[in-house]
Amino acid sequence: MEKYEWKKKEKNLYLPKAKPEIIDIPSFKFFTLEGKGNPNDEFFADYVGALYSLSYGVKMSYKKGIEPKGFYDYIVYPLEGVWDLTEKGREDYKKGFINKEELLFKLMIRQPDFVDEVYAKFILEEVKKNKPNVLLNDVKFEEIEEGKVVQMLHVGSYDSEVESFKIMEEFVKESGFERAEKLHKEIYLSDARKVEAEKLKTILRFKVK
């Protein structure tokens, strides 16, 4: 069975250049999980673990003889996160301070086209039995369309992303667009546990109009 490799097939979405570009993102299916707090704290790993357990549950289901219609082998998609701040966090930000305790996040991992609501629910129940995690009760299966966005590859630590966002916002103005909302998305191409901070690769996106 040939393995679908998103890094090769969808380079425009997952291998952007280290300079801004405006593109349209179509609708995709995701397992999602929302939370609040500092992603550097221990609790965050439980959120990530819940989503990956579901994603690998889908990928490996064929080895258990559970194969949905249209199944194909593939590489699991990367973790993504949409980030915002609470009202208190926004007030702190205006003062020049990013209070990570006030971060709001929606983590997600994209799923292949063959995953529908029925199959997603089935996998969710299977993972609950085999890899219990209280956060699985809060997981949603959603179709999300980002639409028109500006994106850019950021190389370096997460704390230095602000410099890339400045470049992106200037590019948006020069291109005749404006930022549509304060939220932004990050797609994590590197494993922060294994890669040095200055070499981390993260796709940054935000919606434009």
Side-chain angles (χ1 to χ4, degrees), residues 45-97:
D46 292 331
Y47 281 78
V48 176
L51 291 176
Y52 270 113
S53 65
L54 290 168
S55 298
Y56 278 99
V58 171
K59 175 180 169 58
M60 304 307 293
S61 60
Y62 76 96
K63 289 192 174 183
K64 298 180 180 180
I66 308 166
E67 213 172 286
K69 184 178 180 181
F71 180 88
Y72 53 85
D73 195 13
Y74 64 100
I75 295 175
V76 170
Y77 284 91
L79 178 71
E80 307 184 21
V82 175
W83 295 88
D84 196 4
L85 286 164
T86 64
E87 287 301 318
K88 181 180 184 306
R90 291 188 180 189
E91 289 301 315
D92 290 336
Y93 183 75
K94 290 177 183 177
K95 300 172 185 176
F97 169 59

Side-chain angles (χ1 to χ4, degrees), residues 12 16-17 19-25 146-153 164-173 175 177-181 183-187 203-209:
N12 62 319
K17 297 177 181 178
K19 61 180 182 180
E21 62 179 347
I22 292 175
I23 64 169
D24 286 292
I25 310 293
E146 290 181 66
K148 194 173 294 296
V149 304
V150 60
Q151 72 173 10
M152 175 179 172
L153 178 66
S164 290
F165 279 120
K166 287 179 181 178
I167 294 171
M168 293 165 70
E169 290 179 349
E170 187 62 33
F171 173 80
V172 167
K173 291 178 183 178
S175 301
F177 290 86
E178 61 180 277
R179 188 164 183 166
E181 59 186 20
L183 302 177
H184 77 268
K185 172 175 273 193
E186 301 179 2
I187 302 177
I203 299 172
L204 305 180
R205 286 182 189 161
F206 59 78
K207 293 184 180 181
V208 298
K209 60 182 180 180

Side-chain angles (χ1 to χ4, degrees), residues 81-143:
V82 175
W83 295 88
D84 196 4
L85 286 164
T86 64
E87 287 301 318
K88 181 180 184 306
R90 291 188 180 189
E91 289 301 315
D92 290 336
Y93 183 75
K94 290 177 183 177
K95 300 172 185 176
F97 169 59
I98 298 178
N99 186 347
K100 293 185 178 181
E101 303 301 326
E102 297 299 320
L103 284 169
L104 299 172
F105 56 82
K106 182 173 184 175
L107 299 180
M108 61 189 75
I109 296 180
R110 182 180 157 189
Q111 301 303 308
D113 296 337
F114 62 76
V115 180
D116 58 18
E117 288 190 19
V118 173
Y119 189 65
K121 185 176 181 180
F122 169 76
I123 290 293
L124 183 56
E125 294 305 316
E126 286 293 301
V127 173
K128 282 181 179 179
K129 288 187 290 185
N130 298 321
K131 293 186 178 181
N133 181 333
V134 67
L135 290 170
L136 291 170
N137 295 320
D138 298 322
V139 170
K140 296 179 182 178
F141 179 68
E142 303 181 70
E143 283 201 36

